[in-house]
Amino acid sequence: MTAKIINGIEVSAAIRADLRERVTAMADRGVVPGLAVIKVGVDPASAVYVRNKVRACGEVGIQSSQYDFEANVSQQTVLDLIGDLNERPNIHGILVQLPLPPHFAIADILQTISVDKDVDGFHLYNVGGLVAGGTVFPPCTPYGVVKILEHEGIEIEGKNVVVVGASNIVGKPMALMLMQRDATVCICHAKTRDLAQFTILADILVVAVGKPNLILPEMVKTGAVVIDVGINRLPDGKLVGDTDFEGLRHKVSHITPVPGGVGPMTVTMLLANTVASAERRLQTQSERLLTSVAS
Ligand code: NAD
């Protein structure tokens, strides 16, 4: 079997084209979606991520505003800015680039972002909504994985899904989102004994760990769908995922490459959440107007 290599750049481009149309439709009604991006310190990786997000906003017509702070800024200063951005009607999404310097209590920062501007989906309300239903913003990376599966026409309902990696930003929300779509989900992590006995059962295997070559061909069922979220830089500078891509591509039905698989989707889903936020606000305003006219 030769796998279909899922092109995340192509899937991303299709979603961004749709977003551009929705942004244009809103512009006709006088609204431009706005995203505020807050960065603290000089972490080089964070600088690249923020630059990519700001550029992507420009591509689809989202107005981004960037707030850069020195690493020694007080937490209160950042909390005050978030409080201010929460109130601004031209801001529909607020993103704080992680990681933050050690003197920050990340939970306090994330819980201060208004639930209806939490486009990263990290506020406890949005996380809780993944369990109970009613999340306002699905977190971007797992949301991107779901969109890839949908775009490829891969059925989720009733499938055995194994998620390797149980972080708050990828593994756990991923598992919840797939469970919500009626998959039978198993989550593996660093303490899982004999990883292969679980991965071999997967119809859909999502791997988000950060270890090159963790998943080898003998650990995967023939014809499985493999989504590799991992990003690892090898000593020679090459970027790879968590799976043995060359080995697996002759055994599975679909696989995402690294780079060019899940990565581009994460930023795209941030854009999607921001556009959805602006649309929701517009809808609420229209409903209020109708109610006031009617009464
Ligand atoms: P994390 O370090 O927060 O979590 C890693 C998870 O892997 C933990 O749950 C840990 O228990 C588990 N784990 C560690 N060793 C394991 C092993 N041997 N077997 C099974 N599980 C093991 O990482 P994260 O933030 O979730 O990111 C995971 C990977 O995904 C990283 O490579 C990261 O760079 C990448 N990532 C990619 C994107 C993207 O847009 N493509 C977005 C976020 C993260």
Side-chain angles (χ1 to χ4, degrees), residues 91-200:
I91 296 293
H92 304 92
I94 303 171
L95 176 156
V96 178
Q97 184 64 45
L98 301 178
L100 289 168
H103 65 283
F104 276 82
I106 292 179
D108 291 349
I109 296 284
L110 297 180
Q111 301 330 311
T112 304
I113 297 174
S114 168
V115 167
D116 60 2
K117 297 191 179 188
D118 173 40
V119 284
D120 256 341
F122 294 161
H123 189 287
L124 281 184
Y125 180 93
N126 279 318
V127 176
L130 293 176
V131 178
T135 197
V136 187
F137 298 105
C140 300
T141 301
Y143 191 16
V145 172
V146 168
K147 285 290 166 189
I148 282 181
L149 295 173
E150 283 176 1
H151 185 271
E152 297 299 319
I154 294 162
E155 208 181 325
I156 299 172
E157 188 184 303
K159 292 292 169 67
N160 285 346
V161 174
V162 177
V163 179
V164 186
S167 70
N168 288 343
I169 63 163
V170 189
K172 283 186 211 158
M174 181 81 262
L176 290 166
M177 288 168 80
L178 293 170
M179 200 165 78
Q180 235 171 24
R181 286 162 176 79
D182 293 326
T184 302
V185 181
C186 162
I187 311 177
C188 301
H189 45 74
K191 301 286 160 109
T192 299
R193 279 178 283 167
D194 190 4
L195 184 61
Q197 72 168 316
F198 298 98
T199 57
I200 198 78

Side-chain angles (χ1 to χ4, degrees), residues 141 164-167 169-170 188-190 195 208-211 214 229-232 242 262-263 266:
T141 301
V164 186
S167 70
I169 63 163
V170 189
C188 301
H189 45 74
L195 184 61
V209 170
K211 284 193 171 25
L214 179 68
V229 182
I231 303 175
N232 307 286
D242 289 344
V262 176
T266 296

Side-chain angles (χ1 to χ4, degrees), residues 3-24:
K4 172 166 186 203
I5 315 290
I6 299 174
N7 186 337
I9 299 171
E10 236 170 64
V11 183
S12 238
I15 295 173
R16 288 187 192 194
D18 171 62
L19 292 175
R20 262 193 298 276
E21 281 177 20
R22 288 160 58 187
V23 169
T24 306

